[in-house]
Amino acid sequence: MAGSFEGKRVLITGGSSGIGAGLAEGFAAAGAVVGIAARRRDRLVEVLERCRAHTPNSQMWEVDLADPDAVDRLAVEAVDTLGGVDLLVNNAGIPKRRHVSRLDAGTVESVMAINYLSPVRLTLAILPTMLAQGSGRVVFVSSVAAPLSSPGEAAYSASKAAVAVFAETMAVDLWDSGVGVSVVYPGVVDTELFTLPDNDPFTGDVESIPVAEAVTTIMDGVAAGALSIYVPAYFAEFAAQKAQDVDRFLAGTAEYVRSRTGRG
Ligand SMILES: NC(=O)c1ccc[n+]([C@@H]2O[C@H](COP(=O)([O-])OP(=O)(O)OC[C@H]3O[C@@H](n4cnc5c(N)ncnc54)[C@H](OP(=O)(O)O)[C@@H]3O)[C@@H](O)[C@H]2O)c1
């Protein structure tokens, strides 16, 4: 689904704040009828109001995406209410900044549930509608933590890698179907993700970018039908560097962590 978003039906998870809220407003301003889903009703209401200023038929769903049944219900209700889905943006996600020595299996599972299993479940539930239409696009918001193996974020990085590889394989399977796939790799975007409880403090020294800049880059990439969208674009070079020599890249990362924390 490259090109204009006018009249398109766009379902965005995690539309109550940050990148998802920005994308909801961005797509609505571009003429799309937007459906947003997340847990915080008050925040959804605010975002929906701003979307409806552009497209009055935009909708919201208060839903906990950790609940598989709720994900299934969201898919059915969104397709019914919006009359189909042209663009699914799997954006909802949780961080997990925690050194691997302090990780437990339950935490890893809960991160995978939100960041991997839930977007995959929603995608599989909506895909038949897109295939029947013969058009559509599924966008997965991964993270640069996936290709770069961010230190102190093993559970998070792995969940984002899982969703990215699922998306890429799906893109091959659907190559000639009319349904496209995009994977978004944000670097550091200024959102509430860095202040959520139950996470180690964020210690990275990458300069953050505002949500508006991320939204523009993502919407441009989606409009162009891009498979991989790095935000900002220069992160693609870091990913290429790591792919070229993984040992060297990881040794450099460990040295960087040691120099900043005294820990390898
Ligand atoms: N900010 C960055 O630098 C950065 C970098 C790389 C990747 N990302 C990814 O970008 C995506 C958006 O994050 P953000 O930075 O915009 O942070 P954010 O403001 O914290 O947004 C996260 C969104 O996910 C929703 N969400 C979380 N758990 C949910 C659940 N159980 N059920 C339903 N919705 C849930 C939240 O809504 P409720 O709390 O209302 O449910 C919220 O709308 C995430 O996938 C994140 O991993 C962000």
Side-chain angles (χ1 to χ4, degrees):
M1 194 192 72
S4 163
F5 298 114
E6 184 71 43
K8 300 294 182 192
R9 299 153 298 182
V10 181
L11 177 61
I12 304 171
T13 66
S16 59
S17 64
I19 297 169
L23 285 173
E25 290 182 58
F27 281 118
V33 176
V34 168
I36 50 174
R39 291 166 301 180
R40 288 172 294 174
R41 182 175 189 83
D42 53 336
R43 301 289 291 269
L44 284 170
V45 167
E46 286 171 22
V47 177
L48 182 64
E49 197 176 297
R50 294 198 289 273
C51 291
R52 282 187 169 166
H54 302 286
T55 46
N57 290 335
S58 290
Q59 305 289 335
M60 61 172 255
W61 288 273
E62 186 185 342
V63 55
D64 184 350
L65 296 167
D67 175 357
D69 293 336
V71 173
D72 293 343
R73 279 196 301 275
L74 171 65
V76 171
E77 287 176 22
V79 169
D80 275 2
T81 311
L82 301 175
V85 173
D86 299 298
L87 185 64
L88 167 61
V89 184
N90 287 305
N91 162 79
I94 55 168
K96 191 48 64 188
R97 294 181 300 278
R98 187 176 298 170
H99 194 269
V100 71
S101 60
R102 287 181 279 108
L103 265 182
D104 61 274
T107 300
V108 174
E109 282 178 21
S110 64
V111 173
M112 283 304 268
I114 295 294
N115 290 358
Y116 175 67
L117 294 173
S118 159
V120 165
R121 191 176 186 99
L122 185 60
T123 298
L124 294 179
I126 286 184
L127 188 57
T129 303
M130 289 188 177
L131 290 173
Q133 289 167 185
S135 68
R137 177 163 292 272
V138 183
V139 178
F140 294 86
V141 180
S142 175
S143 166
V144 295
L148 301 183
S149 310
S150 288
E153 298 188 86
Y156 178 74
S157 301
S159 70
K160 292 298 188 176
V163 86
V165 175
F166 182 92
E168 288 180 355
T169 310
M170 176 176 159
V172 175
D173 286 352
L174 300 180
W175 203 258
D176 296 315
S177 69
V179 177
V181 177
S182 296
V183 189
V184 179
Y185 300 95
V188 183
V189 184
D190 190 9
T191 70
E192 296 167 26
L193 195 85
F194 298 99
T195 55
L196 291 178
D198 205 23
N199 281 279
D200 292 346
F202 177 66
T203 55
D205 60 2
V206 177
E207 201 178 324
S208 68
I209 61 165
V211 167
E213 185 180 332
V215 166
T216 301
T217 305
I218 295 167
M219 287 183 66
D220 286 351
V222 170
L227 176 57
S228 303
I229 304 170
Y230 285 85
V231 187
Y234 66 75
F235 272 102
E237 291 167 33
F238 297 150
Q241 275 171 25
K242 182 192 165 200
Q244 237 171 16
D245 190 340
V246 175
D247 288 25
R248 187 159 180 263
F249 188 91
L250 295 186
T253 305
E255 177 55 37
Y256 168 80
V257 172
R258 203 176 297 121
S259 71
R260 288 176 64 86
T261 64
R263 189 169 67 191

